[in-house]
Amino acid sequence: MIQIEGGRPLVGEIKSPSSKNAALAVFSAVLVGDGISVMTNVPEIADLQIKAQLLEMFGVKIARTADGMEIDCRELRDVLPDADVVRKIRTSFYMLGPLLARNGRVTMPAPGGCNIGARPVDYHIRGLEAMGAQIDLVDGNYVAQADNLVGAKIHFDFPSAGATQHLMTTACLAEGPTVISNAATEPEVTALADFLVRMDASIEGAGTDKITINGRCRLNGAQFRIPFDRMQAGTYLMAGAMTGGEVTIKDVLPEHLSSVLMKLEEAGAEVEEGHDYVRVSGPERLKAVNVMTMPHPGFPTDLQQPVVAMLSVADGTSIVEETIYENRIGHINQLHRMGAKIELKGGNVSIITGVESLSGTSVEATDLRAGASLVLAGLAAQGETTISNVHFIDRGYENLEDNLAQLGATVRRVPLDETNSPKEALYKP
Ligand code: EPU
């Protein structure tokens, strides 16, 4: 559990943690390189540890270095990985194409991930089939085979970040050109393309909605520095804005945070953008604003739950519409427990009547970003907030307590064995 003594402005400067989603994509893509890749600025988060565990199941050798990992993908094994580990993260599935390209066959249990709505993999399957793979679902496992992958024309109905990353990576080892249209333009896609090009892949157009890949028969390992995490940076900036504080995040590319910074300004925060930093100062109370989540460069769905917490203490009525997932709402019941006034319409639209202050109480994280939303609420609330199920937050937030403490928050992690002590018993619902 995490305990937060709220109601204080957050003030200070931190370095942005590195990106969960870029790292997870790159840690699938290492598999297309017949060599050793060297990663630096690797985030210390639970999801990446699971990814490393999966790589090792497939025969990859991983050595920890001072600030990263050396990943040796020269010899791969054809094994059925442990389904319980595979289901812990969605990006296990993004290893299927690279393994297929290297080994000619692969069996992969269906993936998991946060409980935020249906998360099909149909675009991934159709794309791989267009490249010549034969894929069957047998007893809950995807069994894929291909003698030789060939380049294909792929069009997405919706610009899926994961399918763009997975198919772009696989196409690097397919014979001939692949063109992906209506591709996702997320910075994590561009980061992945940078890594693949360092491995000697030929990719044009990453970051636009049309990506062309000219497959090669062999790629090498490469060195790569994982970029900053837009979602963690955005969360800390919101924390500064909603507590009337001033937070500076260093080591970021401000243009990757544009949609979030514009909303913060619209809500009355002051935003200063430098070459590699962003500073946000909050007024005494933010104003209500409307937000609609969209694929990049729109407002990211991963900050929808945090922004609802932020707006729950803004002056006026805000409307936040989630358009990417149908069930990203686990935070709402918990925010109600803290005194937030949020009405949910149609399952995905939050109508938020800002209250002057929230009150700390015991709440439960139901998924990663719901957890981040409750942390923000706890920082702004009067009194003490105890957030349980912190393992969800650990999936994607690195050194959360240290970073918050550096910004002046009073926050501590309560080990499970302390929760039976008389003091902790007080916080039980
Ligand atoms: N979709 C399909 N079929 C597919 C793939 C996607 O219908 O085969 C739909 C999804 O159901 C969803 C939409 O397309 O409605 C977008 O999904 P996308 O594929 O873009 O999401 P993802 O790749 O599974 C990544 C991030 C998510 C983030 C989304 C959107 C990782 C590991 N995950 O997921 O991050 O919300 O892109 O930006 O990169 C998080 O970090 O909390 C998180 C959930």
Side-chain angles (χ1 to χ4, degrees), residues 76-125:
L76 302 180
R77 276 203 300 262
D78 176 17
V79 289
L80 174 61
D82 182 340
D84 289 338
V85 181
V86 168
R87 283 197 199 102
K88 285 184 181 165
I89 54 172
R90 178 166 168 89
T91 61
S92 341
F93 196 69
Y94 309 174
M95 298 163 83
L96 191 145
L99 286 165
L100 182 64
R102 286 285 299 279
N103 284 351
R105 58 164 284 124
V106 54
T107 307
M108 183 68 82
C114 272
N115 182 16
I116 52 180
R119 296 181 75 183
V121 288
D122 53 329
Y123 301 172
H124 300 247
I125 305 268

Side-chain angles (χ1 to χ4, degrees), residues 20-21 24 90-91 94 116 118-124 158-163 165 186 301-302 324-325 328 368-369:
K20 164 176 93 76
N21 290 345
L24 286 167
R90 178 166 168 89
T91 61
Y94 309 174
I116 52 180
R119 296 181 75 183
V121 288
D122 53 329
Y123 301 172
H124 300 247
F158 184 90
S160 155
Q165 290 167 329
E186 265 70 3
T301 170
D302 295 345
I324 313 290
Y325 298 111
R328 212 167 201 183
L368 164 60
R369 308 295 173 188

Side-chain angles (χ1 to χ4, degrees), residues 105-150:
R105 58 164 284 124
V106 54
T107 307
M108 183 68 82
C114 272
N115 182 16
I116 52 180
R119 296 181 75 183
V121 288
D122 53 329
Y123 301 172
H124 300 247
I125 305 268
R126 278 206 297 274
L128 292 172
E129 285 175 343
M131 288 189 222
Q134 189 198 320
I135 305 179
D136 299 297
L137 189 56
V138 184
D139 299 333
N141 297 321
Y142 286 98
V143 181
Q145 298 184 60
D147 291 336
N148 189 24
L149 289 171
V150 286

